[in-house]
Amino acid sequence: MRVPPAAILDVDGTLVDTNYQHVLAWFRAFRQNGLVLPLWRLHRHVGMGGDQYVPAVAGDEFEAEHGDEVRSAHDALYLAMIDEVELLPEAQQLLRELRRRGQTIVLASSAKQQELDHYLDLLGARELVDDWTSSADVESTKPAPDLVAVAREKAGGGPAVLVGDTPWDLRAAERAGVPAIGVLTGGFAREELDGAAAVFEGLPELLERIGETPLGA
């Protein structure tokens, strides 16, 4: 019997609606450290881990002088808003359907453990998924391939498909040699998710058409 590919699922912006809270937290964190950046520019880089995010939006010199302070401020500011985070539509249903289909499920997150625990509880994921990653699993986050590679290893090392919402998810998957499916729930345009095998408006459409994707092929 054919073994279905493992499902590697991004969390922030794909399963839980967090991207704009992250943008606001980054805005406030930079502002506290003397740098005001436009929100649209900050959104363009959401999906990168904090180690990549600060130099990408503020430059290497700012990273060297203030990177750690900005990341710490962001984490505290975001945690103050985390109770506002809601599941994206059909997030739990996607986990249940993948489980019903017999697929290994690994959540690929670079979140700190406290954030990840909140998401796992919100999703009821501990009984639905096989494993997950956190920031402790890698030194370099997306768009580096490390997180996807670790998630694939946790899924058994065989064929896998990533579902993500940002260009950085897709670049990480490509560099890790994993096909990807895109969803528009992160606020990026369809054209920006180039390289995805398929792009859907959200998880409900993905569920309806899962048989047409690498997850269900």
Side-chain angles (χ1 to χ4, degrees):
M1 294 181 62
R2 186 185 68 87
V3 178
I8 299 175
L9 305 178
D10 174 61
V11 179
D12 279 285
T14 300
L15 299 176
V16 291
D17 196 5
T18 61
N19 283 13
Y20 293 96
Q21 285 93 338
H22 277 298
V23 169
L24 188 55
W26 281 120
F27 172 81
R28 291 172 176 171
F30 280 110
R31 192 168 182 264
Q32 287 178 9
N33 284 270
L35 181 62
V36 175
L37 294 170
L39 291 166
W40 70 264
R41 182 176 174 187
L42 294 172
H43 177 260
R44 307 319 301 159
H45 294 80
V46 162
M48 287 185 170
D51 60 315
Q52 309 275 345
Y53 189 96
V54 175
V57 300
D60 292 335
E61 184 177 345
F62 188 91
E63 159 66 25
E65 294 180 1
H66 304 288
D68 290 341
E69 290 88 346
V70 170
R71 279 183 285 273
S72 294
H74 163 271
D75 293 348
L77 289 160
Y78 176 73
L79 282 174
M81 294 185 279
I82 200 168
D83 286 337
E84 299 173 8
V85 168
E86 299 288 347
L87 296 181
L88 283 157
E90 305 295 316
Q92 288 179 321
Q93 288 84 341
L94 176 62
L95 298 182
R96 293 192 184 103
E97 175 61 15
L98 294 169
R99 173 61 62 211
R100 186 193 69 78
R101 295 165 63 93
Q103 289 173 265
T104 301
I105 309 169
V106 176
L107 304 184
S109 173
S110 60
K112 302 292 191 299
Q113 192 62 49
Q114 185 176 356
E115 295 173 31
L116 182 59
D117 285 339
H118 184 83
Y119 302 150
L120 293 172
D121 292 341
L122 197 62
L123 286 159
R126 298 177 199 276
E127 298 177 355
L128 294 173
V129 307
D130 297 278
D131 212 336
W132 49 79
T133 68
S134 72
S135 60
D137 287 306
V138 293
E139 292 185 7
S140 296
T141 58
K142 294 178 286 190
D146 306 31
L147 197 70
V148 179
V150 169
R152 185 179 190 178
E153 184 178 336
K154 286 175 178 280
V161 179
L162 177 133
V163 180
D165 65 292
T166 74
W168 318 112
D169 296 325
L170 272 58
R171 291 185 192 180
E174 181 180 11
R175 292 171 182 176
V178 173
I181 295 168
V183 287
L184 301 182
T185 48
F188 291 88
R190 187 176 298 269
E191 293 76 16
E192 294 177 277
L193 302 182
D194 59 334
V199 178
F200 299 104
E201 181 175 298
L203 301 181
E205 186 184 9
L206 169 57
L207 272 168
E208 288 177 8
R209 298 174 58 189
I210 196 167
E212 305 170 25
T213 74
L215 271 178

